[in-house]
């Protein structure tokens, strides 16, 4: 395995068979670690998004419904990107090029916060956030399936949950930074601090794009995934992606779940300040940090549980917990209400990565396309927050508006019920797979040049 940084050719044919789908646990550690850094990036960006929602209500004097335009811009990009350019780039050029493209778009969006701040333009901030969301949706289009399939299939859900736990860590750091930077100053200084934070983010992601250009990233092709399905299930049939009921049910569930999660996080500060009168916005941001820390801990706990408990059972229990505590939060006030809101985030923790991993199980050659649809379903985050904001404005109560995410959690709950009733055989076949688990497995060369020459293949590597 090559661990150093050196220039590699970009692009790979998706009909080309490589050894990357058979990576052992040891061989997958380095590429998984490198890609996991990206999870921290969008966790940090998402954490700042939730804080900026309340921040702009105060500084730019917009309503709750208007401030949710940030979520609309950010998650609206998730609908367009995966179904158009980012999904196409992933299938045409592979994971590495998609990572670099996503980082560059993210960096451009972060730079756009500077002119938006200079002009005190909420519309400008929404436009910049749309570009940031475009970059992050491109990263997610590649990173989520990459983590899920890079390594033994047996640990797919566990691997993605642990990587997403790092994303949760980024969401913890962001509100803490905001409480000490955004809310410590007043007037123009508040927008200036936002500008400098995003300028620093832009510089970091551009440097990271250079690192990914030189880093050895295994390219797992559609042909590799088709072979993996055949080795696991013994089936050589290829089902049309439009007939994959498990995938489309997962897309629906992810849409409802992500919408609910974003609504809860986006109005978390509003809710806790209503639950406990006298709570400042800075203190509300600190409460959000605590809740996000509990969210990240929940992912580590859920990931550990999946070593012993089937992921489909874990998902059923956690979405059930979201429903129970979201319903309770509508009526309870004070410190007890804040604690219940933190428990909502705890049970949200493993839902996204587990739905994702279960929904792409057994897709074979359709894995990349299926992943694009699931990432596109994240656009639910553009739908539910405005609905919650509108209900909150109409009823003059953000706590009452929790009925919106409650309905979303209930709709999402149908998927784990379906999986446990009708897809358990498929899930358990991959759960019991021994691919990549043999200690004497043949070492796999990570770099693309070696892959392209495997078994004497003479296909030329296509360049970006």
């Amino acid at each position: 395995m090559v661990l150093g940084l050196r220039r590699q050719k970009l692009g790979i044919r998706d009909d080309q068979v490589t050894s990357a789908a058979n990576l052992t646990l040891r061989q997958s550690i380095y590429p998984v670690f490198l890609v996991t850094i990206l999870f921290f990036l969008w966790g940090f960006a998402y954490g700042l998004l939730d804080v900026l929602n309340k921040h702009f209500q105060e500084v730019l004097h917009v309503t709750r419904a208007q401030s949710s335009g940030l979520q609309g811009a950010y998650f609206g990009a998730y609908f367009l990107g995966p179904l158009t350019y980012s999904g196409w780039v992933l299938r045409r050029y592979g994971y590495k090029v998609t990572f670099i493209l996503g980082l560059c778009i993210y960096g451009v969006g972060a730079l756009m916060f500077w002119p938006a701040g200079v002009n005190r333009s909420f519309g400008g901030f929404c436009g910049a956030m749309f570009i940031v969301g475009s970059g992050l949706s491109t990263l997610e289009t590649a990173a989520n399936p990459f983590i899920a399939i890079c390594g033994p299939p047996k640990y797919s859900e566990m691997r993605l949950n642990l990587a997403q736990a790092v994303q949760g860590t980024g969401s913890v750091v962001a509100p803490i930074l905001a409480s000490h930077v955004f809310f410590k100053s007043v007037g123009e200084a508040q927008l200036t601090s936002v500008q400098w934070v995003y300028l620093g983010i832009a510089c970091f992601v551009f440097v990271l794009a250079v690192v990914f250009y030189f880093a050895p990233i295994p390219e797992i092709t559609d042909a590799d995934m088709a072979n993996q399905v055949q080795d696991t299930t013994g089936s050589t049939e290829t089902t049309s992606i439009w007939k994959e009921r498990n995938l489309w049910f997962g897309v629906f569930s992810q849409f409802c779940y992500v919408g609910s999660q974003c609504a809860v996080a986006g109005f978390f500060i509003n809710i806790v300040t209503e639950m406990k009168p006298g709570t400042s916005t800075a203190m509300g941001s600190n409460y959000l940090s605590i809740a996000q820390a509990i969210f990240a801990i929940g992912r580590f706990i859920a990931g550990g549980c999946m070593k012993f408990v089937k992921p489909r059972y874990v998902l059923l229990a956690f979405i059930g917990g979201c429903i129970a505590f979201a319903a309770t939060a509508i009526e309870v006030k004070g410190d007890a209400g804040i604690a219940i809101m933190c428990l909502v985030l705890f049970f949200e923790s493993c839902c996204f990565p587990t739905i994702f991993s279960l929904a792409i199980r057994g897709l074979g050659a359709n894995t990349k396309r299926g992943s694009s649809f699931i990432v596109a379903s994240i656009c639910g985050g553009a739908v539910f927050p405005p609905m919650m904001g509108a209900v909150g404005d109409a009823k003059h109560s953000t706590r009452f508006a929790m009925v919106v995410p409650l309905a979303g959690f209930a709709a999402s709950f149908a998927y784990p019920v379906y999986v446990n009733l009708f897809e358990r055989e498929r899930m358990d076949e991959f759960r019991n797979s021994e691919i990549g688990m043999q200690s004497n497995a043949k070492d796999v060369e990570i770099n693309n040049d070696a892959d392209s020459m495997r078994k004497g293949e003479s296909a030329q590597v296509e360049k970006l």
Side-chain angles (χ1 to χ4, degrees):
M1 180 183 295
V2 180
L3 297 182
L5 299 182
R6 66 183 184 84
R7 184 176 178 179
Q8 289 183 284
K9 295 179 180 179
L10 299 178
I12 193 168
R13 288 177 46 167
D14 245 347
D15 60 351
Q16 179 178 322
V17 178
T18 75
S19 302
N22 298 318
L23 290 174
T24 64
L25 188 62
R26 178 181 62 82
Q27 293 165 336
S28 66
I29 289 175
Y30 176 72
V32 167
F33 168 77
L34 192 61
V35 174
T36 298
I37 297 174
L38 301 178
F39 285 78
F40 181 87
L41 279 182
W42 67 69
F44 188 82
Y46 178 63
L48 286 180
L49 174 66
D50 297 333
V51 175
L52 288 174
N53 191 320
K54 177 64 173 175
H55 183 58
F56 287 150
Q57 289 176 35
E58 298 179 349
V59 179
L60 299 178
H61 308 294
V62 297
T63 67
R64 280 173 285 202
Q66 289 173 329
S67 71
S68 65
L70 285 172
Q71 273 88 354
Y74 181 89
F75 290 104
Y78 272 79
F79 178 75
L80 296 176
L83 299 181
T84 55
Y85 61 89
S86 60
W88 179 83
V89 170
L90 176 61
R91 295 190 299 273
R92 182 71 173 78
Y93 295 105
Y95 290 99
K96 184 173 185 175
V97 172
T98 311
F99 292 145
I100 296 172
L101 175 64
L103 287 167
C104 290
I105 297 174
Y106 181 14
V108 170
L111 288 177
M112 291 300 100
F113 270 76
W114 195 273
V118 170
N119 293 287
R120 294 182 60 83
S121 170
F122 181 68
F125 282 118
C126 288
M129 192 61 76
F130 179 83
I131 300 174
V132 167
S134 298
L136 292 174
S137 69
T138 301
L139 290 175
E140 288 218 51
T141 299
N144 283 309
F146 182 86
I147 293 292
I149 65 181
C150 184
K154 183 184 187 75
Y155 298 129
S156 176
E157 294 88 358
M158 182 189 304
R159 202 161 44 240
L160 188 54
N161 266 279
L162 294 176
Q164 288 277 353
V166 175
Q167 180 260 357
T169 304
S171 298
V172 174
V173 174
I176 294 175
L177 174 69
S179 67
H180 289 87
V181 177
F182 297 170
F183 300 130
K184 290 296 183 182
S185 53
V186 295
E188 296 291 338
Q190 288 184 305
L191 290 180
T192 302
S193 62
V194 173
Q195 293 170 270
W196 281 107
V197 167
Y198 274 92
L199 179 62
I201 291 173
C203 294
F204 178 78
V205 298
F206 284 135
V207 170
L208 194 58
V210 175
V211 172
F212 266 82
Y213 178 75
F214 290 100
I217 302 293
E219 290 292 353
I220 305 172
T221 66
D222 288 346
D224 292 330
M225 294 308 299
N227 285 349
Q228 187 183 93
V229 171
Q230 181 178 346
D231 292 342
T232 302
T233 66
S235 174
T236 58
E237 297 181 3
T238 301
T239 305
S240 168
I241 193 171
W242 306 109
K243 296 180 179 179
E244 290 284 356
R245 290 190 299 271
N246 179 63
L247 169 66
W248 296 113
F249 211 156
V251 168
F252 169 76
S253 178
Q254 199 74 288
F255 175 86
C256 296
Y257 163 73
V258 172
S260 299
Q261 176 192 322
C262 295
V264 171
F267 290 100
F268 185 92
I269 297 176
N270 292 81
I271 292 172
V272 298
T273 53
E274 289 181 14
M275 284 180 166
K276 191 175 181 181
T279 302
S280 67
T281 301
M283 181 56 68
S285 181
N286 287 331
Y287 281 133
L288 178 58
S289 295
I290 294 172
Q292 293 287 18
I294 293 172
F295 178 88
I297 292 170
R299 280 185 169 166
F300 282 113
I301 293 174
C305 287
M306 289 176 189
K307 173 72 174 175
F308 311 100
V309 182
K310 293 177 180 178
R312 54 190 175 92
Y313 293 148
V314 176
L315 180 63
L316 187 71
F318 272 66
I319 297 186
C322 290
I323 295 172
F325 287 102
T328 307
I330 297 174
E331 296 296 332
V332 181
K333 300 179 181 180
D335 290 333
I338 296 174
I340 288 172
M341 286 298 298
C342 291
L343 286 173
V344 172
L345 268 74
F346 172 82
F347 283 102
E348 286 178 355
S349 59
C350 79
C351 297
F352 174 85
T354 309
I355 292 172
F356 192 103
S357 298
L358 294 178
I360 65 172
R361 280 296 198 196
L363 290 183
N366 291 320
T367 298
K368 289 180 180 177
R369 291 189 66 198
S371 298
S372 295
F373 286 113
I374 300 175
V375 174
S377 70
I378 295 175
C379 70
V383 177
F384 281 69
M387 292 168 57
M388 186 172 177
V391 172
D393 287 335
K395 297 294 183 179
H396 304 289
S397 172
T398 317
R399 285 195 305 117
F400 178 82
M402 278 291 292
V403 297
V404 175
L406 175 61
F409 288 137
S412 184
F413 185 70
Y415 179 64
V417 173
Y418 167 79
V419 168
N420 279 281
L421 290 178
F422 302 107
E423 297 287 349
R424 56 183 181 271
E425 183 177 347
R426 176 196 291 205
M427 303 305 163
D428 292 349
E429 281 180 332
F430 284 90
R431 170 78 174 178
N432 298 326
S433 171
E434 292 300 317
I435 294 176
M437 296 300 294
Q438 300 299 321
S439 59
N440 62 343
K442 182 180 178 180
D443 286 342
V444 180
E445 181 63 49
I446 297 303
N447 65 79
N448 295 342
D449 293 342
D451 278 341
S452 65
M453 294 186 293
R454 182 178 179 269
K455 295 183 179 180
E457 293 181 356
S458 59
Q460 293 184 346
V461 177
E462 296 178 19
K463 298 182 178 180
L464 178 63

